[in-house]
Amino acid sequence: RDKTRILVHCRCHKLDIQEALSINPDGINLFIGTSKYNLLGNKRTFKKAVALAKDSIQLIRSISPKIFVRLSAEDIFRTSRSNLLKFILETKDLVNRFGLPDTTGVATPEEIYEIVTQVKRITKGIDLEFHGHNDRGIALANSLAAYRAGVSVFDSTILGIGERTGIASLSGLIAVAFSKNNNWLSTN
């Protein structure tokens, strides 16, 4: 059975959402910045970011009630832990999946594991997705740490090509998954 789905990536912005829905996708990947840097750059408060995310999801559901919705708190590894957990708690009943992006590639595998474990605890039954940039050369290690902590969906590219230094390499993920010694993939 073909499991391919068309998902549109867009900001938590009414016009973006309306344009995305006009092509009848299978789902919408929403994102909104939650770190102090994103909030300052967009001239909004954390409370406003949460409200925009919730309003955006409600708009999507009012137009297409059964559509798949993934929500990412952009730049989560520079978002305060308390704000990240508040954001997830406020929106978890509205989405099908949470995206956990290391938008600027600043996290370590230990931080990834710790945060994903915390998020997994409060989002029982909701898929988690990891998107790790390779700014410090550890996107693959971070993806593997996210897997060990409970993430089930990974963003990757061929050869890791992408913005700045790219994201996790699909070939690297495949090599680890099919290696004879795949201790990286063992879970605790």
Side-chain angles (χ1 to χ4, degrees), residues 93-151:
D93 295 330
L94 305 172
V95 300
N96 303 96
R97 179 184 299 150
F98 271 108
L100 303 173
D102 182 14
T103 310
T104 55
V106 298
T108 65
E110 294 79 12
E111 291 170 308
I112 301 282
Y113 186 85
E114 182 183 321
I115 288 176
V116 171
T117 300
Q118 282 186 323
V119 171
K120 186 79 175 166
R121 240 182 260 128
I122 64 173
T123 58
K124 290 179 177 43
I126 298 173
D127 280 341
L128 299 179
E129 178 177 333
F130 180 72
H131 178 94
H133 279 267
N134 203 34
D135 297 63
R136 296 192 301 162
I138 57 175
L140 179 58
N142 284 344
S143 294
L144 297 171
Y147 173 81
R148 291 184 69 227
V151 166

Side-chain angles (χ1 to χ4, degrees), residues 131-132 134 154-174:
H131 178 94
N134 203 34
F154 300 89
D155 296 346
S156 65
T157 63
I158 302 210
L159 302 175
I161 296 169
E163 180 184 20
R164 295 186 320 276
T165 58
I167 63 173
S169 167
L170 177 60
S171 57
L173 288 169
I174 291 170

